[in-house]
């Protein structure tokens, strides 16, 4: 009798204890959906990179992503010449490097009064500057080409660098102004007390403290100019002055014929300077502003 009474009662078929617990909770489903979406995005980025690496060592490369039967470096040997690689890369370094220096210098001078002087016209002016970045470059190239012909700047590296710097200046001013807002004004006031001018306080106090911000503006401007094809293609006419972003067009032949292996090899060489630039200054990007203890005492 005692044994029968100690046996637990069976739940009714429709009771809550008899219902199976859900195998996938809503939070777990959302997490799995987010992971699947991230995997699809990663695959969309990794698939072209995989094709680039595999096609560069394949003598019979096509648009399909496939491992080469016999890997070879013939594609790199074919493009490793002065006419195909070295001269265009040197032109790109001179063109984009000079334009980047000009952009950073002008952006610093333009961002300083926008960051330090309060006025009602500052925000509308910044919005107007930002609006100019929304204009497509193709919409203004026809009048720019006519202007360059009139002022005799067509087919010149200096004129092309000047236009590249002007095209990147609006967004560079925005970035520089935001970074400059993080530098305390009290540091400038201390420099003014010692007799420094506004230019000296800018070059000796503000800019050294916002090194990571200047690095970000420099990298962004250089990368945008490095991959610009349309502007050098329109303003530079001499083949010996064309940068690598334009000379890559020579791998596309007539009747849809493309040398995919050499194109992939040249693309890897073309991306190397940007990767080296990021590696060399990546330490400064992770540092933040060196303002610790600057306003103490």
């Amino acid at each position: 009798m005692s044994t029968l009474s100690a046996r637990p009662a069976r739940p009714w078929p429709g009771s809550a204890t008899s219902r199976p617990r859900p195998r996938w909770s809503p939070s777990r489903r959302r997490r799995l959906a987010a992971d699947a979406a991230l995997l699809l995005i990663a695959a969309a980025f990794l698939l072209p990179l995989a094709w680039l690496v595999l096609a560069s060592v394949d003598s019979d490369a096509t648009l399909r992503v496939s491992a080469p039967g016999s890997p070879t470096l013939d594609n790199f040997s074919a493009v490793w010449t002065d006419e195909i690689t070295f001269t265009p890369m040197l032109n790109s370094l001179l063109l984009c490097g000079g334009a980047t220096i000009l952009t950073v210098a002008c952006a610093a001078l333009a961002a300083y009064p926008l960051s330090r002087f309060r006025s009602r016209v500052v925000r509308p002016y910044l919005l107007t500057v930002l609006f100019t970045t929304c204009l497509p470059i193709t919409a203004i190239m026809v009048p720019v080409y006519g202007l360059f012909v009139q002022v005799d700047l067509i087919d010149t590296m200096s004129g092309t660098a000047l236009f590249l710097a002007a095209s990147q200046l609006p967004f560079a001013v925005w970035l520089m102004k935001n970074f400059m807002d993080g530098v305390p004004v009290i540091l400038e006031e201390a420099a003014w007390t010692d007799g420094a001018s506004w230019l000296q306080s800018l070059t000796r106090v503000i800019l050294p403290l916002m090194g990571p911000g200047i690095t970000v503006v420099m990298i962004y401007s250089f990368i945008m100019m490095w991959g610009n094809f349309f502007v050098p293609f329109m303003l530079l006419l001499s083949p010996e002055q064309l940068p690598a972003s334009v000379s890559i067009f020579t791998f596309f032949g007539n009747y849809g014929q493309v040398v995919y292996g050499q194109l992939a090899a040249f693309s890897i060489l073309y991306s190397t300077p940007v990767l080296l630039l990021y590696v060399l200054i990546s330490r400064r990007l992770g540092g933040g502003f060196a303002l610790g203890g600057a306003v103490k005492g």
Side-chain angles (χ1 to χ4, degrees), residues 93-225:
L93 290 174
L94 295 176
L95 184 65
C96 300
T100 299
I101 295 174
L102 184 60
T103 300
V104 173
C106 294
L109 294 176
Y112 179 76
L114 296 175
S115 174
R116 289 299 185 255
F117 302 108
R118 304 303 176 188
S119 176
R120 295 181 180 179
V121 299
V122 170
R123 184 171 181 81
Y125 177 79
L126 288 174
L127 293 177
T128 305
V129 169
L130 186 63
F131 173 76
T132 58
T133 61
C134 302
L135 296 176
I137 196 68
T138 55
I140 61 176
M141 280 310 299
V142 172
V144 167
Y145 184 86
L147 177 63
F148 271 50
V149 171
Q150 292 180 2
V151 298
D152 199 18
L153 286 177
I154 198 70
D155 198 23
T156 59
M157 296 285 288
S158 57
T160 306
L162 182 63
F163 181 75
L164 285 174
S167 62
Q168 295 299 323
L169 187 59
F171 198 76
V173 171
W174 261 82
L175 289 177
M176 193 73 72
K177 190 260 181 188
N178 291 332
F179 286 117
M180 198 171 291
D181 289 341
V183 180
V185 185
I186 190 174
L187 300 178
E188 287 183 82
E189 295 176 349
W192 294 338
T193 304
D194 294 336
S197 62
W198 68 270
L199 184 59
Q200 291 175 338
S201 64
L202 175 64
T203 56
R204 297 183 181 182
V205 178
I206 299 178
L207 294 182
L209 291 176
M210 52 180 297
I214 297 176
T215 303
V216 170
V217 176
M218 182 178 64
I219 290 179
Y220 174 81
S221 301
F222 185 84
I223 291 177
M224 295 301 293
M225 298 175 190

Side-chain angles (χ1 to χ4, degrees), residues 13-287:
S15 62
T17 56
S18 64
R19 297 175 183 174
R21 294 183 178 181
R23 186 176 181 180
W24 304 101
S25 61
S27 60
R28 188 175 184 182
R29 292 177 182 176
R30 289 192 296 267
R31 185 168 61 252
L32 290 177
D35 293 340
L38 291 176
L39 288 176
L40 290 177
I41 296 175
F45 282 95
L46 292 178
L47 193 62
L49 294 178
W51 176 87
L52 193 68
V53 174
L54 295 176
S56 64
V57 294
D58 189 359
S59 58
D60 300 324
T62 60
L63 286 177
R64 298 182 58 183
V65 180
S66 59
S70 56
T72 179
L73 297 178
D74 292 341
N75 294 324
F76 288 94
S77 300
V79 301
W80 196 258
T81 61
D82 292 336
E83 183 181 358
I84 298 178
T85 300
F86 294 111
T87 300
M89 292 281 281
L90 180 60
N91 293 336
S92 295
L93 290 174
L94 295 176
L95 184 65
C96 300
T100 299
I101 295 174
L102 184 60
T103 300
V104 173
C106 294
L109 294 176
Y112 179 76
L114 296 175
S115 174
R116 289 299 185 255
F117 302 108
R118 304 303 176 188
S119 176
R120 295 181 180 179
V121 299
V122 170
R123 184 171 181 81
Y125 177 79
L126 288 174
L127 293 177
T128 305
V129 169
L130 186 63
F131 173 76
T132 58
T133 61
C134 302
L135 296 176
I137 196 68
T138 55
I140 61 176
M141 280 310 299
V142 172
V144 167
Y145 184 86
L147 177 63
F148 271 50
V149 171
Q150 292 180 2
V151 298
D152 199 18
L153 286 177
I154 198 70
D155 198 23
T156 59
M157 296 285 288
S158 57
T160 306
L162 182 63
F163 181 75
L164 285 174
S167 62
Q168 295 299 323
L169 187 59
F171 198 76
V173 171
W174 261 82
L175 289 177
M176 193 73 72
K177 190 260 181 188
N178 291 332
F179 286 117
M180 198 171 291
D181 289 341
V183 180
V185 185
I186 190 174
L187 300 178
E188 287 183 82
E189 295 176 349
W192 294 338
T193 304
D194 294 336
S197 62
W198 68 270
L199 184 59
Q200 291 175 338
S201 64
L202 175 64
T203 56
R204 297 183 181 182
V205 178
I206 299 178
L207 294 182
L209 291 176
M210 52 180 297
I214 297 176
T215 303
V216 170
V217 176
M218 182 178 64
I219 290 179
Y220 174 81
S221 301
F222 185 84
I223 291 177
M224 295 301 293
M225 298 175 190
W226 187 262
N228 195 311
F229 166 81
F230 191 67
V231 172
F233 180 75
M234 290 293 296
L235 300 181
L236 294 176
L237 307 178
S238 302
E240 63 274 6
Q241 291 186 349
L242 294 180
S245 60
V246 180
S247 64
I248 197 174
F249 186 71
T250 58
F251 292 99
F252 296 86
N254 297 326
Y255 307 104
Q257 297 178 356
V258 182
V259 188
Y260 291 108
Q262 297 181 13
L263 176 62
F266 181 82
S267 300
I268 292 178
L269 297 176
Y270 177 57
S271 306
T272 302
V274 177
L275 296 177
L276 291 178
L277 176 65
Y278 178 78
V279 170
L280 290 176
I281 58 182
S282 59
R283 295 181 178 179
R284 301 198 66 181
L285 286 176

